[in-house]
Amino acid sequence: MEESVAARRLNRIMRHLHSFPSTSGSSVIEEQSGGCFEVVPTSASDGIEGQNEEASKPGDRERVILVIGAGDATGGAVAKKFASEGYTACLVRRDASKLEQLAQDITQNGGKAHVFGVDARKEEQVVALVEQIEKDIGDIRVLVFNIGANVNFSILETTSRVYRKVWEMACFAGFLCGREVAKRMVVRGNGTVFFTGATASLRGGSGYAAFAGAKFGLRALAQSMARELGPKGIHVAHLIVDGPIDTQWTRGQVKDSASILERQGMVNPQDIAKLYWYTYQQPKTAWTHELDLRPWIETW
C-alpha cells in the first residue's frame, strides 16, 4: 500500500529528530598550551557546554572562566567546579601569591589554572587582563565577578575614603570587568556574566551604608547589562548569597558558629558553585536573571 502524505511527513520529522547529536559529555585526550600552574591531564572531561553557547568543535580555542575575586570560598569553589568540567580557570586577586594554593588544587585534580595579580578597580589593568587572556589563553566564556568589600561602620564614622573604596571594589570594578568581557562576547554571540550579590544587594542594614550602596549599584548594573545584552546572546545573572558562608573567617566572626554549622546554618561554597553551574547551563528559553539562596534557618 502506498505510504500516505501524512505518514511520509512524520517519517521525515522522526529522521530529523534522531539526527541531532547527543548532548552528553565525552572524555577526550588533548594537549593544550602551557602556562602558570597548568597541567595536561591524561583524560579530561569536556563537560556539558552551556545551553546558551554553541558546542565546541575539535581544534577550538580553550574555554575560559574568568573569576575576579577568586577567594577561599565562593570564587574558589566556582573556579574548581568549572575547571572540573573542562574550563580553563583564570584566577584574579590583587595579590597573585594568595591564589597559588587554589591553582594547585585545580591542577592536581586534572584541571588548568592561570593566576593574575590585578587590581580590578584600575581600568588599564582590567583592559590589559582581558586582552592577554583572549590573546594567549582562550575565549572568555564565563565571567564571575565576586569581589566582596563587606565592611561595617556607623554612618557617623564612615569616611569618604572608605565609602569610595568600597564602591570602587564592589561596584565600579564590576562595571569595568563586565564591559571588557562583554565586548568579546557580543562579537561571538554568546557568553555568561555572573555577579555575586549579598543581603546588602536588597536592603541596607545599620552600619552597612557603604557596602549596601555598592551592592545596590552592582545589582542595577547587572539588570541593565541583562536587558541590553540578553538579546545579543549574553546571559547576565545576579546571584544573591543571603547568609553566612562557611569559611574559617566566618567561623571566627559568628557567635555560636559550631552550633550553627551543626544545624547546617551556613552556606556551603560547593553548593553555591553547583548553583552557578546550574544557571550557566540554562537554555535560552528559560534564562534566570536573579537567584537568591540562603540556609534553611536564615531569617529573611
Side-chain angles (χ1 to χ4, degrees):
M1 183 180 295
E2 186 174 349
E3 191 178 35
S4 68
V5 174
R8 289 198 298 274
R9 287 178 178 173
L10 178 59
N11 284 334
R12 284 200 298 271
I13 293 171
M14 294 304 294
R15 286 196 299 271
H16 177 65
L17 289 174
H18 286 298
S19 69
F20 283 176
S22 170
T23 58
S24 60
S26 60
S27 296
V28 297
I29 300 175
E30 61 178 8
E31 184 173 353
Q32 309 239 7
S33 59
C36 297
F37 302 105
E38 183 177 355
V39 298
V40 180
T42 55
S43 178
S45 171
D46 261 355
I48 301 175
E49 187 67 36
Q51 293 291 327
N52 58 313
E53 299 186 5
E54 296 181 0
S56 296
K57 304 177 183 63
D60 278 357
R61 283 155 51 83
E62 290 190 36
R63 299 170 296 171
V64 172
I65 176 171
L66 173 59
V67 183
I68 308 293
D72 301 326
T74 302
V78 173
K80 288 178 180 179
K81 174 60 180 176
F82 276 77
S84 74
E85 300 288 349
Y87 289 72
T88 298
C90 287
L91 314 170
V92 177
R93 290 181 71 164
R94 280 181 290 178
D95 185 351
S97 66
K98 294 182 178 180
L99 293 167
E100 292 180 6
Q101 184 59 56
L102 174 59
Q104 286 183 353
D105 290 344
I106 289 173
T107 58
Q108 287 173 1
N109 283 285
K112 294 182 179 181
H114 302 263
V115 302
F116 299 88
V118 170
D119 187 338
R121 299 171 298 172
K122 306 297 183 182
E123 184 171 18
E124 66 279 4
Q125 292 188 32
V126 172
V127 171
L129 169 71
V130 173
E131 184 176 342
Q132 180 182 352
I133 293 172
E134 288 276 339
K135 178 183 176 182
D136 299 334
I137 299 176
D139 296 338
I140 300 174
R141 304 290 187 92
V142 188
L143 166 67
V144 176
F145 182 78
N146 188 61
I147 292 179
N150 186 344
V151 298
N152 183 289
F153 288 103
S154 164
I155 190 64
L156 305 178
E157 300 171 355
T158 301
T159 65
S160 60
R161 179 178 179 275
V162 166
Y163 194 94
R164 185 179 296 109
K165 182 177 180 180
V166 171
W167 173 78
E168 287 179 345
M169 292 173 64
C171 184
F172 180 62
F175 153 70
L176 292 176
C177 296
R179 183 194 68 186
E180 288 306 304
V181 169
K183 289 177 181 178
R184 274 71 175 182
M185 291 180 173
V186 166
V187 173
R188 290 190 284 266
N190 57 60
T192 301
V193 177
F194 288 135
F195 293 104
T196 302
T199 305
S201 303
L202 303 177
R203 61 181 184 273
S206 174
Y208 291 97
F211 186 52
K215 282 298 186 180
F216 266 60
L218 186 70
R219 187 183 186 214
L221 170 71
Q223 289 181 3
S224 295
M225 286 182 60
R227 291 184 170 105
E228 178 180 348
L229 300 178
K232 300 180 187 297
I234 315 303
H235 186 184
V236 180
H238 182 242
L239 297 98
I240 300 169
V241 183
D242 180 24
I245 301 174
D246 183 13
T247 65
Q248 289 296 330
W249 182 87
T250 303
R251 294 183 188 190
Q253 297 293 317
V254 176
K255 185 179 179 181
D256 299 326
S257 61
S259 175
I260 294 174
L261 278 169
E262 187 176 352
R263 298 173 63 200
Q264 296 182 312
M266 289 190 185
V267 186
N268 187 307
Q270 285 70 43
D271 292 336
I272 298 175
K274 292 175 184 176
L275 183 62
Y276 277 70
W277 179 249
Y278 159 78
T279 307
Y280 174 65
Q281 293 189 89
Q282 290 179 332
K284 285 184 174 180
T285 58
W287 273 356
T288 295
H289 169 64
E290 190 164 76
L291 288 173
D292 56 349
L293 64 149
R294 60 187 58 84
W296 68 286
I297 62 174
E298 185 74 18
T299 302
W300 61 291

